[in-house]
Amino acid sequence: MKLSQNMREALVKEIRFAANKMKNSPKITDKMYFFSAVYGMLQRVFNFEYDPELVFIHQVIHQAFDTINNRVNMGIQRDVPSTIPDDLFAKLEACLFELADKIESNKKSYEILEKIANIGYVTIGNGLYLNIKGDLKI
């Protein structure tokens, strides 16, 4: 990915900051708030230094955020369990740390983005079904 060293360092720092805040936040709504910072930072970066891989990363993370956020909000609005796997946020946080490592070392991000996409997918009906069935592991 073509990024200046300064922009790469800023992006990695922000992703790690957001992941750490998620990890240390007990409330799901706070975790979601910090998760949203990741795609926000990605967009700011590619507004200055465009790279197609950055857009791909942004799209996957934004879609995962929207999907998870919809499930979280559904549970809050209806005052019912949100049917989110217990380890979802721990796995998501680990993926964000791994993504930061990939960006820092200028390695391709496809495999980690695949994991993030699956984490988001497990929060919708069919994804949860596949997870319960054992076919979709996060």
Side-chain angles (χ1 to χ4, degrees):
M1 170 178 356
K2 293 181 183 178
L3 284 179
S4 67
Q5 190 60 30
N6 287 343
M7 199 61 75
R8 185 180 305 279
E9 288 172 3
L11 178 57
V12 167
K13 180 180 176 183
E14 288 298 316
I15 293 171
R16 287 183 178 143
F17 177 81
N20 271 316
K21 294 303 280 184
M22 288 173 67
K23 185 177 180 179
N24 294 316
S25 296
K27 292 173 54 181
I28 290 177
T29 53
D30 292 345
K31 289 178 181 293
M32 293 305 298
Y33 172 76
F34 290 111
F35 184 34
S36 73
V38 176
Y39 69 80
M41 182 59 179
L42 283 158
Q43 188 170 23
R44 287 188 290 282
V45 169
F46 67 67
N47 281 344
F48 291 104
E49 296 186 23
Y50 176 79
D51 186 275
E53 187 174 354
L54 280 178
V55 175
F56 181 52
I57 295 168
H58 173 272
Q59 291 298 99
V60 169
I61 289 182
H62 197 281
Q63 180 65 37
F65 171 84
D66 285 347
T67 306
I68 297 167
N69 197 48
N70 285 340
R71 179 58 68 183
V72 167
N73 287 333
M74 187 183 307
I76 290 170
Q77 291 169 357
R78 296 182 183 165
D79 196 27
V80 296
S82 58
T83 332
I84 294 176
D86 292 335
D87 60 348
L88 182 130
F89 284 102
K91 300 273 181 151
L92 182 57
E93 293 151 11
C95 285
L96 292 175
F97 285 116
E98 189 177 340
L99 177 62
D101 292 344
K102 296 271 186 201
I103 293 170
E104 184 175 52
S105 60
N106 201 23
K107 293 182 180 171
K108 290 292 183 187
S109 59
Y110 180 82
E111 287 182 26
I112 192 63
L113 294 176
E114 189 176 86
K115 290 178 187 179
I116 292 170
N118 280 309
I119 289 170
Y121 191 68
V122 80
T123 64
I124 65 171
N126 190 60
L128 181 61
Y129 173 78
L130 292 171
N131 181 255
I132 291 168
K133 198 172 138 183
D135 292 341
L136 172 58
K137 295 176 179 32
I138 59 169

Coordinates of all heavy atoms in Angstrom, one line a residue, residues 4 20 22 28 31 41 43-44 59 62 69 74 77 79 87 91 95 107 113 119 127 133 136:
S4 N 2.7 7.5 2.8 CA 3.9 8.1 3.4 C 4.1 7.5 4.8 O 3.2 7.0 5.4 CB 3.8 9.6 3.5 OG 2.8 9.9 4.4
N20 N -7.5 -0.5 21.7 CA -7.3 -0.5 23.1 C -8.5 0.1 23.9 O -8.8 -0.4 25.0 CB -6.0 0.4 23.5 CG -4.8 -0.5 23.4 OD1 -4.7 -1.6 23.9 ND2 -3.7 0.1 22.8
M22 N -11.6 0.0 22.9 CA -12.6 -1.0 22.8 C -12.4 -2.1 23.9 O -13.3 -2.5 24.6 CB -12.6 -1.6 21.5 CG -13.2 -0.7 20.4 SD -13.0 -1.5 18.7 CE -14.1 -2.9 18.9
I28 N -20.9 -2.1 25.6 CA -20.9 -2.4 24.1 C -21.1 -1.1 23.3 O -20.4 -0.9 22.3 CB -22.0 -3.4 23.8 CG1 -21.7 -4.7 24.3 CG2 -22.3 -3.4 22.3 CD1 -22.8 -5.8 24.1
K31 N -17.7 0.4 23.0 CA -16.9 -0.3 22.1 C -17.3 0.1 20.6 O -16.4 0.3 19.8 CB -17.1 -1.8 22.3 CG -16.5 -2.4 23.6 CD -16.8 -3.9 23.7 CE -16.3 -4.4 25.0 NZ -14.8 -4.5 25.0
M41 N -11.0 7.3 10.5 CA -9.6 7.6 10.3 C -9.1 7.1 8.9 O -8.4 7.8 8.2 CB -8.7 7.0 11.4 CG -7.2 7.3 11.3 SD -6.9 9.1 11.3 CE -5.2 9.1 11.2
Q43 N -10.9 6.9 6.3 CA -11.4 7.9 5.2 C -10.6 9.2 5.2 O -10.3 9.7 4.2 CB -12.9 8.2 5.5 CG -13.5 9.0 4.4 CD -15.0 9.1 4.5 OE1 -15.5 9.0 5.6 NE2 -15.6 9.4 3.4
R44 N -10.2 9.6 6.4 CA -9.4 10.9 6.4 C -8.0 10.6 5.8 O -7.5 11.5 5.0 CB -9.2 11.3 7.9 CG -10.4 11.9 8.5 CD -10.2 12.5 9.8 NE -9.9 11.6 10.9 CZ -10.9 10.9 11.5 NH1 -12.1 11.0 11.2 NH2 -10.5 10.1 12.5
Q59 N -14.2 0.0 3.5 CA -15.5 -0.6 3.2 C -15.9 -1.8 4.1 O -17.0 -2.0 4.6 CB -15.6 -1.0 1.7 CG -15.6 0.2 0.8 CD -16.8 1.1 1.0 OE1 -16.8 2.1 1.7 NE2 -18.0 0.6 0.4
H62 N -16.4 -0.5 7.7 CA -17.7 0.2 7.8 C -18.9 -0.7 7.7 O -19.8 -0.6 8.5 CB -17.7 1.3 6.7 CG -18.7 2.3 6.9 ND1 -20.1 2.1 6.7 CD2 -18.6 3.6 7.4 CE1 -20.7 3.2 7.0 NE2 -19.9 4.1 7.4
N69 N -23.6 -2.8 14.7 CA -24.4 -1.7 15.3 C -25.9 -1.9 15.2 O -26.6 -1.7 16.1 CB -23.9 -0.4 14.7 CG -24.3 0.8 15.6 OD1 -24.1 0.8 16.8 ND2 -24.9 1.8 15.0
M74 N -30.8 -3.1 17.9 CA -32.0 -3.9 18.0 C -32.2 -4.4 19.4 O -33.3 -4.4 19.9 CB -31.9 -5.0 17.0 CG -33.2 -5.8 16.9 SD -33.1 -7.3 15.8 CE -32.4 -6.5 14.3
Q77 N -33.2 -1.3 21.7 CA -34.5 -0.8 21.5 C -35.6 -1.8 22.0 O -36.7 -1.3 22.4 CB -34.7 -0.5 20.0 CG -33.9 0.6 19.5 CD -33.9 0.7 18.0 OE1 -34.5 -0.1 17.3 NE2 -33.3 1.7 17.4
D79 N -35.1 -4.1 24.2 CA -34.7 -4.6 25.6 C -34.7 -6.1 25.6 O -35.3 -6.8 26.5 CB -35.7 -4.1 26.6 CG -35.1 -4.2 28.0 OD1 -33.9 -4.3 28.2 OD2 -35.9 -4.3 29.0
D87 N -17.7 -13.8 22.5 CA -16.3 -13.5 22.2 C -16.2 -12.5 21.0 O -15.1 -12.2 20.6 CB -15.5 -14.7 22.0 CG -15.9 -15.6 20.9 OD1 -17.1 -15.4 20.3 OD2 -15.2 -16.5 20.5
K91 N -12.6 -10.9 19.7 CA -12.1 -11.3 18.4 C -11.9 -10.0 17.5 O -10.9 -9.9 16.8 CB -13.0 -12.3 17.7 CG -13.2 -13.5 18.5 CD -12.2 -14.6 18.1 CE -12.5 -15.8 18.9 NZ -12.0 -17.0 18.3
C95 N -8.5 -8.6 15.9 CA -8.4 -8.3 14.4 C -7.9 -6.9 14.1 O -7.1 -6.7 13.2 CB -9.7 -8.5 13.7 SG -10.1 -10.3 13.5
K107 N 2.0 -5.1 4.8 CA 1.6 -6.4 4.3 C 0.2 -6.3 3.9 O -0.6 -5.5 4.4 CB 1.8 -7.5 5.4 CG 3.3 -7.7 5.7 CD 3.4 -8.8 6.7 CE 4.9 -9.0 7.0 NZ 5.1 -9.9 8.1
L113 N -9.1 -8.9 6.9 CA -10.4 -8.3 6.5 C -11.5 -9.4 6.3 O -12.7 -9.1 6.6 CB -10.3 -7.5 5.2 CG -9.4 -6.2 5.3 CD1 -9.2 -5.5 4.0 CD2 -9.9 -5.3 6.4
I119 N -16.9 -11.6 11.3 CA -17.3 -11.1 12.6 C -18.6 -10.3 12.5 O -19.5 -10.5 13.2 CB -16.2 -10.4 13.3 CG1 -15.1 -11.3 13.8 CG2 -16.7 -9.6 14.5 CD1 -13.8 -10.6 14.3
G127 N -25.8 -15.5 9.5 CA -24.5 -15.7 10.1 C -24.5 -16.3 11.4 O -23.7 -17.2 11.8
K133 N -24.4 -23.5 14.2 CA -24.2 -24.8 13.5 C -22.7 -25.2 13.5 O -22.4 -26.4 13.3 CB -24.7 -24.6 12.1 CG -25.1 -25.8 11.3 CD -25.8 -25.5 10.0 CE -25.2 -26.3 8.9 NZ -25.8 -26.0 7.6
L136 N -19.5 -21.4 10.7 CA -18.9 -20.0 10.6 C -18.2 -19.8 12.0 O -18.9 -19.6 13.0 CB -19.9 -18.9 10.3 CG -19.4 -17.5 10.5 CD1 -18.2 -17.2 9.5 CD2 -20.6 -16.5 10.2

